[in-house]
Amino acid sequence: EVQLLESGGGLVQPGGSLRLSCAASGFTFSSYAMSWVRQAPGKGLEWVSAISGSGGSTYYADSVKGRFTISRDNSKNTLYLQMNSLRAEDTAVYYCAKNFLPGPGSSGWYGYWGQGTLVTVSS
Amino acid sequence: EIVMTQSPATLSVSPGERATLSCRASQSVSSNLAWYQQKPGQAPRLLIYGASTRATGIPARFSGSGSGTEFTLTISSLQSEDFAVYYCQQYNNWPGTFGPGTKVDIK
């Protein structure tokens, strides 16, 4: 059974930093791209970042480029999101998701999701 | 970036009735479209990918159709557990983008 368990969310002041983790199990972690998708309170879904199975390729939404860094440790089956220079508009539930990529050039769909971790940016 | 729109924003349906949800892309995404269901306080769940392929474990009352820029999700006979928000997502290009969602509530 695929399981994704996020952690690391919390309250942080504007300009602060936070690192999210996502522990994966039930599948060959290194074989799959992974993504972070967020949802602001009462709003829709927004893709944030993705990383290839090897970790060699990373992708970012324009809204977080230069501030967030995605990484993975395949020996620990864990995905990370380092978030720096946080802003009020980054307040959201952050989900990690298992990416299915049908071919080159495609961003893929999200077959499995974690339960999410809430990040609140406020003074 | 491809912009996804969904209509209607809210759909009021009685249990047992058919629900038809629409999704439109600002440019062609071929059949690279997925649908998700999200209930309050829960993570989204994949329903459909490839515009019409049901994900594992998804009941047959859910069906998807369309290609290019126009897509439809049909729920043939609404069950109580189907009242939720439904999102479409294109994955033809980077970044993958979501529609704003359609809320299906009880009439």
Side-chain angles (χ1 to χ4, degrees):
Chain A
E1 179 192 4
V2 172
Q3 291 194 354
L4 300 170
L5 184 62
E6 302 94 337
S7 61
L11 175 63
V12 61
Q13 293 187 338
S17 298
L18 214 53
R19 188 175 87 153
L20 307 183
S21 300
C22 171
S25 61
F27 64 103
T28 305
F29 184 67
S30 60
S31 294
Y32 290 90
M34 297 290 295
S35 285
W36 290 97
V37 178
R38 68 185 180 184
Q39 186 170 37
K43 302 297 183 182
L45 300 167
E46 179 191 16
W47 170 77
V48 172
S49 183
I51 186 168
S52 62
S54 67
S57 297
T58 57
Y59 308 85
Y60 298 94
D62 287 344
S63 58
V64 306
K65 200 171 294 182
R67 301 187 298 121
F68 290 11
T69 303
I70 191 171
S71 62
R72 64 192 298 160
D73 185 336
N74 287 343
S75 68
K76 295 182 178 179
N77 288 353
T78 302
L79 174 72
Y80 302 101
L81 186 68
Q82 177 67 44
M83 304 186 295
N84 298 331
S85 302
L86 282 160
R87 305 167 180 168
E89 55 264 35
D90 295 319
T91 294
V93 174
Y94 284 73
Y95 297 100
C96 71
K98 182 184 178 188
N99 241 131
F100 287 82
L101 302 178
S106 168
S107 49
W109 68 87
Y110 310 107
Y112 296 92
W113 300 63
Q115 87 292 345
T117 187
L118 175 63
V119 172
T120 303
V121 184
S122 175
S123 54
Chain B
E1 178 174 306
I2 296 175
V3 176
M4 307 299 292
T5 56
Q6 291 184 244
S7 61
T10 303
L11 184 62
S12 297
V13 185
S14 299
E17 288 188 340
R18 182 186 195 91
T20 303
L21 289 66
S22 295
C23 173
R24 177 176 291 179
S26 61
Q27 65 188 74
S28 177
V29 298
S30 187
S31 294
N32 294 314
L33 186 105
W35 288 95
Y36 303 87
Q37 177 194 67
Q38 187 178 34
K39 298 178 182 179
Q42 295 186 15
R45 177 175 73 145
L46 176 68
L47 298 176
I48 301 282
Y49 62 93
S52 61
T53 303
R54 278 189 303 277
T56 303
I58 301 303
R61 64 180 181 272
F62 291 92
S63 63
S65 63
S67 66
T69 62
E70 301 281 344
F71 300 89
T72 300
L73 175 69
T74 302
I75 311 170
S76 59
S77 176
L78 269 157
Q79 307 297 302
S80 57
E81 61 267 29
D82 300 335
F83 292 97
V85 179
Y86 292 83
Y87 295 95
C88 61
Q89 176 232 342
Q90 69 80 20
Y91 53 88
N92 193 62
N93 297 60
W94 286 93
T97 45
F98 293 90
T102 290
K103 181 179 181 180
V104 177
D105 65 16
I106 300 175
K107 187 175 183 181

